[in-house]
């Protein structure tokens, strides 16, 4: 009986030690300056630049700087730091179900590549930092 208790204790301790060890590397932070801003400039700034961009005139959203992007639209923020599922930027860029195709971004152009959508999602989920 003691050997069973000893074996059970050893197994529990061993499993506990394994649970504490992770082989996954910590997720690399996504940089606004290096990763996000180039996407905004290449795919969004044509329309979302103050004061004359068509998208800016309609929505009030400019994407040339971190401050402009975080300010959002005339109707409010497009980014909720830490919540890509609830951020309008992500919903519109990804063309999620329920998003009116007429306002999917980039408007009238090919959807962003999946790798760029993943970067935007990770940046928002990591807190949408000005880094």
């Amino acid at each position: 009986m003691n050997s069973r208790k000893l074996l059970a204790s050893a197994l529990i301790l061993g499993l506990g030690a394994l649970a504490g060890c992770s082989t996954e590397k910590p997720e690399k932070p996504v940089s606004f300056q290096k990763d996000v801003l180039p996407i905004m400039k290449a795919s969004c700034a044509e329309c979302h630049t103050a004061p004359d961009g068509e998208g800016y005139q309609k929505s009030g959203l400019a994407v040339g700087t971190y401050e402009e992007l975080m300010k959002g639209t005339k109707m409010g923020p497009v980014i909720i730091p830490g919540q890509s599922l609830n951020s309008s930027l992500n919903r519109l860029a990804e063309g999620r179900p329920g998003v009116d195709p007429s306002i999917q971004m980039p408007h009238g152009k090919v959807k962003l590549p999946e790798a760029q959508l993943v970067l935007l999602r990770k940046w928002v989920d990591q807190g949408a930092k000005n880094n």
Side-chain angles (χ1 to χ4, degrees), residues 53-122:
E54 184 180 346
Y56 175 78
Q57 297 216 346
K58 288 181 179 179
S59 70
L61 177 64
V63 299
T65 67
Y66 175 81
E67 292 75 19
E68 288 176 333
L69 182 59
M70 295 308 287
K71 180 181 175 186
T73 69
K74 296 172 188 175
M75 296 162 276
V78 295
I79 295 171
I80 303 169
Q83 299 183 33
S84 66
L85 288 175
N86 297 318
S87 294
S88 296
L89 176 79
N90 301 96
R91 289 193 338 259
L92 294 172
E94 294 172 17
R96 291 189 198 151
V99 171
D100 183 339
S102 72
I103 60 170
Q104 182 177 335
M105 296 294 140
H107 187 66
K109 295 187 178 180
V110 176
K111 183 177 170 181
L112 294 176
E114 186 62 28
Q116 290 182 354
L117 295 173
V118 167
L119 276 175
L120 292 175
R121 198 175 312 125
K122 283 183 180 180

Side-chain angles (χ1 to χ4, degrees), residues 39-49 63 89 105-106 112 120:
I39 295 170
M40 296 289 112
K41 287 186 175 182
S43 301
C44 312
E46 181 182 337
C47 294
H48 289 281
T49 299
V63 299
L89 176 79
M105 296 294 140
L112 294 176
L120 292 175

